């Protein structure tokens, strides 16, 4: 059976575009790279709004020319107001806006003859030794793409069964102040000088781009998101805690990231594979996704370009990391561990670069053990022992 293309990537966000660029990059020796088609939803409710991605990296990275800002120091505020200021050594904490990243990746794909098509995808499935994508184009006309492989980044219709299911939900304001109040040399990763929700965790987050401009964000780990009024009240309170004085809100962003110990399926068929958050790239205990997407995309692209099955590529977060996340989520959800005290103590007791590697799942078993000794051992042990007794259920 003839295919319209070798690979179809569904979704033109971080996961879809990163993978498409990795697969379509021309071979230096003149061999033909796989033919790639990328589809994204037409403008409307199916398309994601603008987002800010943050990640940490040593040295020069592939997207440094696109960054909105970066920092070599991180700052935390403990619940009692204690300041924890940590240098990152060779690492930098980096901020990337989705619109700039996506435009650059689409331009790169265009140079290689790959077009990003608008298509509202309705179904993806195996067919005749390959896979077929069904949907409608921007005019509403039916559209079909037959492909050897499909990588699907669309959010799943429902979350996988889990023992613990929380949301990391947030709203951020890009603000400009009348006075020079921000320190552009350090990002505030977590600020716990805020009222804490019952059975959850709340903190502020500040990414300064100049003395006058920053992304100021309010984040909660809890079971349900807030409404617009709730976020606005929380953000105004946090801006008063920061002492911003007069400011204007230039832009808003809002989102919710599932945080659960559910195991995301990696395949939707023999020739259909899930990528990005839909493929388990989000770290359940932190919500960080972008760096894991880059690792996942790199390994999948290498497999496709070398003729290996993507099924042989290991999960982006291994069993050890997922097990640690399950324990932490259970401890937070039950209230056995105070989240603000937990993270403040972790950053005060462990070098920041090691904590970041731990949060990214890049530490060794010995490093994980040593970090574990810095956590509340008895509450964490109790959460670990009870996990096998808990029933998994589909989050509401």
């Amino acid at each position: 059976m003839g295919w319209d293309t070798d690979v179809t990537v569904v979704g033109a966000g971080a996961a879809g575009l990163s993978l498409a660029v990795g697969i379509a990059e021309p071979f230096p020796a003149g061999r033909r790279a796989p033919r790639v088609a990328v589809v994204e939803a037409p403008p409307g409710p199916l398309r994601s709004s603008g987002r800010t991605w943050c990640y940490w990296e040593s040295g020069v990275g592939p997207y440094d020319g696109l960054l909105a800002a970066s920092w070599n120091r991180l700052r935390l505020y403990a619940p009692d107001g204690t300041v924890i200021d940590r240098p990152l050594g060779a690492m930098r904490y980096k901020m990337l806006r989705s619109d700039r990243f996506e435009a650059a990746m689409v331009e790169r794909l265009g140079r290689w003859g790959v077009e990003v098509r608008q298509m509202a995808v309705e179904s993806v499935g195996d067919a005749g030794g390959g896979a077929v994508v069904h949907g409608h184009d921007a005019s509403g006309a039916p559209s079909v793409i037959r492909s050897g492989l499909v990588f699907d980044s669309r959010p799943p219709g429902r979350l996988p069964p889990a023992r613990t299911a929380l949301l990391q939900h947030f709203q951020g304001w890009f603000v400009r102040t009348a006075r020079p109040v921000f320190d552009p040399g350090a990002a505030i990763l977590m600020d716990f000088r805020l009222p804490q929700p019952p059975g959850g965790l709340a903190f502020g987050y500040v990414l300064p781009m100049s003395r006058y401009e920053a992304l100021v964000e309010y984040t909660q780990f809890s079971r349900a998101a807030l409404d617009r009024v709730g976020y606005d009240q929380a953000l105004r309170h946090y801006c008063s805690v920061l002492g911003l004085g007069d400011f204007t809100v230039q832009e808003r962003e809002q989102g919710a990231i599932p945080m659960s110990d559910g195991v995301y399926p990696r395949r939707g068929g023999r020739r259909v594979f899930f990528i990005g958050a839909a493929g388990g790239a989000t770290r359940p205990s932190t919500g960080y996704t972008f760096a894991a997407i880059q690792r996942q995309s790199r390994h999948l692209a290498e497999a496709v370009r070398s003729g290996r099955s993507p099924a042989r590529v290991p999960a982006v977060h291994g069993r050890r990391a997922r097990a640690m996340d399950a324990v932490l989520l259970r401890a937070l959800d039950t209230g056995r561990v105070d989240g603000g005290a937990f993270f403040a103590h972790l950053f005060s007791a462990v070098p920041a670069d090691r904590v970041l590697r731990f949060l990214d799942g890049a530490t060794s078993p010995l490093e994980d053990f040593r970090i574990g000794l810095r956590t509340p051992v008895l509450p964490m042990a109790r959460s670990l022992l009870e996990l096998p007794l808990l029933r998994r259920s589909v989050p509401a």
Side-chain angles (χ1 to χ4, degrees):
M1 183 178 188
W3 308 117
D4 301 320
T5 186
D6 298 313
V7 177
T8 297
V9 178
V10 179
L17 291 174
S18 297
L19 178 59
V21 165
I23 294 174
E25 182 178 6
F27 282 103
R31 294 165 50 206
R32 182 183 68 83
R35 297 171 299 156
V36 177
V38 181
V39 297
E40 68 170 342
L46 294 178
R47 186 180 292 190
S48 300
S49 57
R51 298 163 310 289
T52 298
W53 299 313
C54 289
Y55 59 102
W56 39 86
E57 191 173 43
S58 294
V60 177
Y63 307 124
D64 279 10
L66 305 175
L67 297 177
S70 68
W71 305 269
N72 59 11
R73 283 172 38 236
L74 291 181
R75 189 172 295 149
L76 280 83
Y77 287 88
D80 63 1
T82 301
V83 182
I84 304 163
D85 195 303
R86 290 289 181 264
L88 298 182
M91 302 182 76
R92 292 190 74 86
Y93 190 69
K94 301 182 178 183
M95 174 187 183
L96 181 62
R97 299 297 306 278
S98 62
D99 54 353
R100 192 171 184 186
F101 171 84
E102 290 166 1
M105 297 304 102
V106 169
E107 190 275 334
R108 188 177 302 179
L109 289 170
R111 293 203 311 265
W112 300 336
V114 177
E115 179 186 5
V116 178
R117 298 169 49 179
Q118 290 191 3
M119 180 177 176
V121 174
E122 296 171 350
S123 66
V124 178
D126 291 330
V132 177
V133 179
H134 290 274
H136 290 80
D137 63 19
S139 70
S143 183
V144 177
I145 302 176
R146 296 173 176 83
S147 183
L149 288 170
V150 172
F151 294 96
D152 192 351
S153 67
R154 294 175 301 159
R158 64 178 186 172
L159 298 176
R163 294 163 296 196
T164 305
L166 300 175
L167 278 179
Q168 179 182 156
H169 53 97
F170 55 88
Q171 185 177 112
W173 289 349
F174 286 85
V175 303
R176 181 170 181 84
T177 59
R179 299 181 295 111
V181 296
F182 298 113
D183 175 6
I188 300 177
L189 188 68
M190 290 179 170
D191 187 339
F192 293 105
R193 298 174 296 170
L194 296 174
Q196 296 298 304
L201 170 67
F203 58 90
Y205 183 52
V206 181
L207 301 180
M209 292 164 281
S210 73
R211 299 282 291 171
Y212 296 87
E213 295 173 300
L215 169 60
V216 178
E217 196 164 277
Y218 173 80
T219 299
Q220 266 196 29
F221 294 1
S222 60
R223 291 183 176 271
L226 304 180
D227 58 17
R228 173 71 175 265
V229 173
Y231 287 119
D232 283 355
Q233 290 176 342
L235 272 166
R236 291 201 176 277
H237 173 69
Y238 184 43
C239 288
S240 70
V241 170
L242 292 171
L244 299 191
D246 294 334
F247 64 89
T248 57
V249 179
Q250 299 179 311
E251 190 178 344
R252 298 171 182 258
E253 69 173 28
Q254 185 172 330
I257 302 169
M259 303 177 69
S260 85
D261 63 352
V263 180
Y264 284 78
R266 298 176 59 202
R267 302 176 73 165
R270 196 168 57 85
R271 308 291 289 176
V272 179
F273 298 84
F274 297 124
I275 59 172
T282 300
R283 185 76 195 264
S285 62
T286 64
Y288 283 104
T289 307
F290 188 81
I293 281 175
Q294 299 310 304
R295 296 197 303 272
Q296 183 187 66
S297 298
R298 184 171 62 252
H299 295 153
L300 288 172
E302 290 171 354
V304 172
R305 288 166 64 89
S306 64
R308 293 182 288 114
S309 170
R312 296 179 178 272
V313 173
V316 68
H317 295 301
R319 290 188 178 185
R320 188 176 80 253
R322 296 200 303 270
M324 291 188 295
D325 287 343
V327 173
L328 178 57
L329 289 175
R330 178 65 180 172
L332 291 173
D333 189 40
T334 57
R336 293 183 191 126
V337 167
D338 179 297
F342 173 88
F343 285 108
H345 178 70
L346 193 64
F347 271 88
S348 64
V350 180
D353 59 338
R354 189 180 306 165
V355 175
L356 293 181
R357 288 191 297 107
F358 171 73
L359 297 178
D360 208 20
T363 42
S364 68
L366 179 58
E367 287 176 314
D368 289 342
F369 175 75
R370 289 174 174 170
I371 290 173
L373 295 178
R374 302 288 187 175
T375 66
V377 175
L378 291 179
M380 298 291 273
R382 180 180 173 186
S383 298
L384 171 64
L385 291 174
E386 75 180 6
L387 281 176
L389 305 176
L390 300 177
R391 183 175 63 90
R392 292 182 181 270
S393 60
V394 177

